[in-house]
Amino acid sequence: MYQASRYPLRVHALTGARSYTTTRSQLGSQLKTGLEGRWDHRESPQVSCNEFRSLSRAAGTSPRATNSKLVNPQLRRYSSRGLASHAPTLQGINPIELSAASDAPAVTIRPPGVLDTNFATEAVLLIGWVLDKPVDAEKVQAAWEALNTAWPILSARLRYDKKTKKWEYHIPTKPCAHGFASLSISDSMDKHYQPSQPSDKIRCTPKPSPLHLFQPRGPRSMKDIVNADRPVCHLHVTTFNDASLLSFSVPHIVCDAGGLAAVARGLESIINGGPPPPPLSSHDPFAAYAQKASEDVPAPPNWRVTSPLETVSVYARGICTELFGAKMENRDIFFPKDEVKRIKAEAMEDIRRDMCAHASQTSSAPLNVFYTTNFRDHFNLPSHFPHNAVAYVATDAIPLSSMAKLPLGNVALNIRKTVATQSEKPAIERWIRWRLVNEGKIQICFDPWRGAWQIATNWREMNLLNIDFSGALPDGELKQSGKLRSQYLWMDGLGPVLRNWIGLIADEPSGGMWMAGTFAKKTWEDPRGFGRFIDTKV
């Protein structure tokens, strides 16, 4: 099986992540699954790479058309055999044959938002739900097609102009080639995948990432999305005899986790018989900040653009880390309801004693905590705004030797005050302008020579485990067995490896809270910290 460099969602949390890892080998369009002969497959019609790329040229218009220019190519006919021959296939699985010829759509070309291209443009976000019953994949596909009709950008192709060094959306003006596939496995899910489970005690468990079940037909890299002419957003459904997996794949340049949640909420509404979400505006709410940006924009607290010497240090550290650094591991941490109450109620010293992943007690290396803050509310963005809208907040540096001695409550209070101050609208506007004026430069919030960093993020407000996909149940199943229940939220990604990351992921509907993180194995197994909660039976 092909191997991919994977990281948990929110790779944008480490600005300049590409500086700390070397480029990984890109995966091909085929993926051996090991489950040949057991799957049924459905897929939306696909327009081939050369066919879609020729749309702009067909009318004598360059693919690098003026932004938002409508291209009206000559409509071409494609045989079902021609379409099927270009669709990527899995071993043992054939794409469906189209019953009739298909017309190539006209496309609208426009750029991504100015902030979107400032995030980790090499990254592909993956997020999925483990559902406790099998769903009807055709119902999900129908809802997905309706959402793509309401939001055509989900079916857009992504292009990169090497001459102008700019990204472009090629958005079909008519429904075309939705990114959808489904698999049916006539077996129990437990025989193929066992996600982390809630427990009655704090529990730290490895996070499996079975791409062959969540996204077997999805992209394997940004290069795959561009070169294979894939729609930017891909939805996949895998059904078992007793459960389902529903997952999205989308480039980070399109949206952040909050934007992907908006896509999931749109699907939820349609799949349950509600209306599609309102149309998306082509207006970029942050474009004005790019026009106002100037060279004298002061850097946000604790941020700076690297000097030539610091740039060399950053790259040298990245190469050494890639070659000799500890291997990162993804793990889940579950906090049962009673433990959450206890932690909230007890003194900060008790929190430190029970929860702190102890840092080195001798190192004087400075540590910066780096928090991603969602600023949609500050700019009155609509709830269905699907693009990137987060800022990066960095705390003052604290020596690691001091960190181990401080009560975690003091550290938490410092982070809380920093986030509150730097999340006010004037501070965010300053961050946006500085970010845009320094686009393309390495921006860091830690000492490039010897500094350490800890990345933190918070998804709890998105209530992702409360999204209801019950409308996808087979006819009559809802009345017979009740609503679908989300058992687990899976997340992963393709792109640079993220280090020293931890996040509050979701509240468990039955009580308790999920966290996840990426640390070196020795950090996870440290008996003074997370190692106390590792379940040795897993």
Side-chain angles (χ1 to χ4, degrees), residues 217-378:
R217 295 294 302 263
R220 292 294 175 264
S221 65
M222 281 295 293
K223 181 180 290 187
D224 188 18
I225 291 174
V226 174
N227 293 347
D229 251 339
R230 294 174 176 271
V232 294
C233 195
H234 183 82
L235 173 63
H236 192 276
V237 175
T238 297
T239 57
F240 300 91
N241 291 344
D242 54 0
S244 301
L245 309 177
L246 187 152
S247 62
F248 294 94
S249 168
V250 64
H252 208 317
I253 194 174
V254 177
C255 66
D256 56 16
L260 198 49
V263 174
R265 293 289 183 185
L267 182 68
E268 174 192 29
S269 176
I270 297 172
I271 214 167
N272 288 311
L280 296 176
S281 171
S282 60
H283 171 68
D284 181 1
F286 309 113
Y289 294 99
Q291 297 171 0
K292 295 178 181 178
S294 62
E295 295 298 333
D296 61 352
V297 177
N302 301 310
W303 283 95
R304 67 177 180 275
V305 173
T306 56
S307 66
L309 190 58
E310 289 175 331
T311 300
V312 172
S313 173
V314 167
Y315 276 98
R317 284 188 67 179
I319 293 172
C320 291
T321 300
E322 183 71 12
L323 295 176
F324 309 110
K327 181 181 177 181
M328 296 292 103
E329 291 188 354
N330 301 341
R331 297 194 181 226
D332 290 314
I333 311 108
F334 180 74
F335 296 82
K337 184 177 180 179
D338 291 343
E339 286 294 321
V340 173
K341 290 182 177 179
R342 181 188 66 80
I343 292 170
K344 289 181 178 180
E346 290 187 359
M348 290 303 175
E349 278 299 315
D350 289 333
I351 296 177
R352 175 183 178 273
R353 174 171 52 80
D354 287 343
M355 294 305 307
C356 186
H358 289 264
S360 168
Q361 297 188 23
T362 57
S363 174
S364 60
L367 169 71
N368 291 89
V369 177
F370 175 20
Y371 185 86
T372 59
T373 180
N374 184 339
F375 56 71
R376 284 169 169 79
D377 291 342
H378 290 293

Side-chain angles (χ1 to χ4, degrees), residues 4-7 122-126 211 219-221 492-496:
S5 170
R6 300 200 291 266
Y7 66 102
E122 309 96 332
V124 180
L125 309 181
L126 308 173
L211 286 178
R220 292 294 175 264
S221 65
D492 205 333
L494 305 167

